[in-house]
Amino acid sequence: MDRFSDEAAGWDEKPEHADRARSVAAVVRSTVPLRPDMSVLEIGGGTGLLARALADDIGTAVVTDVAPGMVDVATSVLDNPRYAGWSARLFDVEHDELPAERYDLVLALLALHHMGDVAAVIDRCGRLLAPDGHLALIDLDHDADGAFHAHVHDFDGHNGFRREHVAGWFDSAGLVDVATADAGVVDKAGADGAPAQFPMFIATGRRPE
């Protein structure tokens, strides 16, 4: 949390962050039936880059994160008539009490690998869906060598995921129409410092009506 809070002020200024949000937004558009009246909850959303990249396709969004600095920046950015009805708040989907609100779409970009009990997180995300609502989680494919986080000395999350495991957790959460697909790559230095590409997937499912 401290690391992401420290990086929050300059987060949107890094071109790779905005570029990734835009490219992943295109993947979401191609896999989820978006509507202009749709209510969205972004989990681990940082400054809300992904939700904002979908602003023309959805209705309102709540951007959540566990890093106070990220929520502060998101709150400031969303203070714009373009985002009327949007908000940002501190929320830990893994441990906090679930809010009463239910959403048409719950999504997260590169947040899942920071969680502990991922199967439980997916179940909780599913419980936040309105009937016929969709869950869309974008994260890293399995990174056996842990190269993606080699530069993060205190990283204690997951080195990506096997798609079949994620699909199984969606099934166990009671979601239907479960599918996984490619969602682009993250370009960054690997463990040896050389440029590398780390593939991402999108996992989707729907809460039955």
Side-chain angles (χ1 to χ4, degrees):
M1 287 188 295
D2 290 343
R3 177 169 67 90
F4 285 108
S5 281
D6 291 343
E7 295 179 4
W11 191 262
D12 289 5
E13 297 173 7
K14 295 184 177 180
E16 64 269 24
H17 293 162
D19 290 346
R20 185 181 309 144
R22 284 191 292 267
S23 65
V24 169
V27 175
V28 174
R29 288 188 196 97
S30 71
T31 54
V32 178
L34 302 179
R35 307 187 315 269
D37 63 343
M38 180 173 274
S39 62
V40 176
L41 176 68
E42 186 173 4
I43 299 294
T47 65
L49 277 172
L50 179 55
R52 286 188 274 139
L54 294 168
D56 292 335
D57 306 281
I58 61 175
T60 59
V62 178
V63 177
T64 69
D65 206 278
V66 297
M70 288 290 188
V71 175
D72 289 344
V73 172
T75 298
S76 177
V77 172
L78 297 179
D79 185 21
N80 181 314
R82 173 172 172 76
Y83 306 113
W86 292 41
S87 63
R89 68 180 68 158
L90 279 171
F91 177 56
D92 181 343
V93 69
E94 187 172 9
H95 301 108
D96 289 351
E97 181 177 351
L98 295 182
E101 299 96 328
R102 294 297 177 263
Y103 299 88
D104 300 314
L105 172 63
V106 175
L107 77 166
L109 170 58
L110 297 180
L112 202 63
H113 65 261
H114 293 286
M115 310 290 184
D117 187 342
V118 175
V121 168
I122 291 174
D123 182 77
R124 286 168 68 85
C125 287
R127 288 157 56 191
L128 288 166
L129 294 172
D132 204 36
H134 289 78
L135 178 62
L137 302 178
I138 302 93
D139 219 291
L140 298 166
D141 277 305
H142 183 55
D143 170 25
D145 298 327
F148 187 89
H149 290 100
H151 65 290
V152 182
H153 302 298
D154 58 349
F155 179 71
D156 61 355
H158 302 270
N159 292 319
F161 303 96
R162 298 191 185 280
R163 299 185 188 191
E164 63 269 25
H165 293 170
V166 178
W169 295 328
F170 272 56
D171 289 333
S172 296
L175 302 179
V176 298
D177 301 332
V178 175
T180 61
D182 295 342
V185 299
V186 178
D187 293 300
K188 63 176 293 185
D192 60 358
Q197 290 190 325
F198 297 89
M200 296 184 293
F201 64 88
I202 182 171
T204 55
R206 179 177 60 85
R207 179 179 176 179
E209 294 187 66

